């Protein structure tokens, strides 16, 4: 970085569109997430995204987001956008992945 230049704080986002649930398909999941990803990219965010993610992949994306925030140094904004199903159990907010029967709370992503 040139002398006197300042680093802009990072703006990072995870954008996920979930629509292919086994019990019922959501109409807007992936298209709305795609539009949000484009809008955030235009606003200067570094966006990682995905569509119809399984529990393993969704958990890895969340881990990746946390690691990106740690590596970025100064972070202005960390944003998570999920178009899909969510739940709240015992005060915990959970992201619900596709393709997994939700028999246990461990099948969801905190």
């Amino acid at each position: 970085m040139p002398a006197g230049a300042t680093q802009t704080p990072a703006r990072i986002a995870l954008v996920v569109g979930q629509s292919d649930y086994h019990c019922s398909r959501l109409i807007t999941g992936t298209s709305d997430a795609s539009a949000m990803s484009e809008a955030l990219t235009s606003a200067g965010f570094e966006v990682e995204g995905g569509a119809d993610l399984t529990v393993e992949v969704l958990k890895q994306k969340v881990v990746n987001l946390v690691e990106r925030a740690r590596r970025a140094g100064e972070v202005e904004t960390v944003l998570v956008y999920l178009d899909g199903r969510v739940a709240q159990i015992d005060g915990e907010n959970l992201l619900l992945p596709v393709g997994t029967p939700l028999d246990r709370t461990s099948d969801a992503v905190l």
Side-chain angles (χ1 to χ4, degrees), residues 52-70:
D52 294 328
L53 304 179
T54 62
V55 65
E56 295 84 11
V57 175
L58 187 53
K59 284 181 179 181
Q60 188 59 53
K61 293 274 187 184
V62 172
V63 168
N64 292 349
L65 179 70
V66 171
E67 288 303 314
R68 286 173 54 212
R70 286 185 180 143

Side-chain angles (χ1 to χ4, degrees), residues 11-45:
R11 301 171 83 193
I12 58 177
L14 171 62
V15 177
V16 177
Q18 302 284 78
S19 64
D20 198 18
Y21 291 96
H22 71 279
C23 58
S24 66
R25 185 165 176 76
L26 296 179
I27 296 171
T28 62
T30 54
S31 61
D32 284 358
S34 179
M36 177 59 81
S37 183
E38 290 174 17
L40 289 171
T41 299
S42 294
F45 278 78

Side-chain angles (χ1 to χ4, degrees), residues 5 12-13 15 20 29 43 62 77 85 89 94 105 108 110:
I12 58 177
V15 177
D20 198 18
V62 172
T77 305
R85 298 195 189 280
I89 299 173
L94 307 171
T105 56
L110 295 176

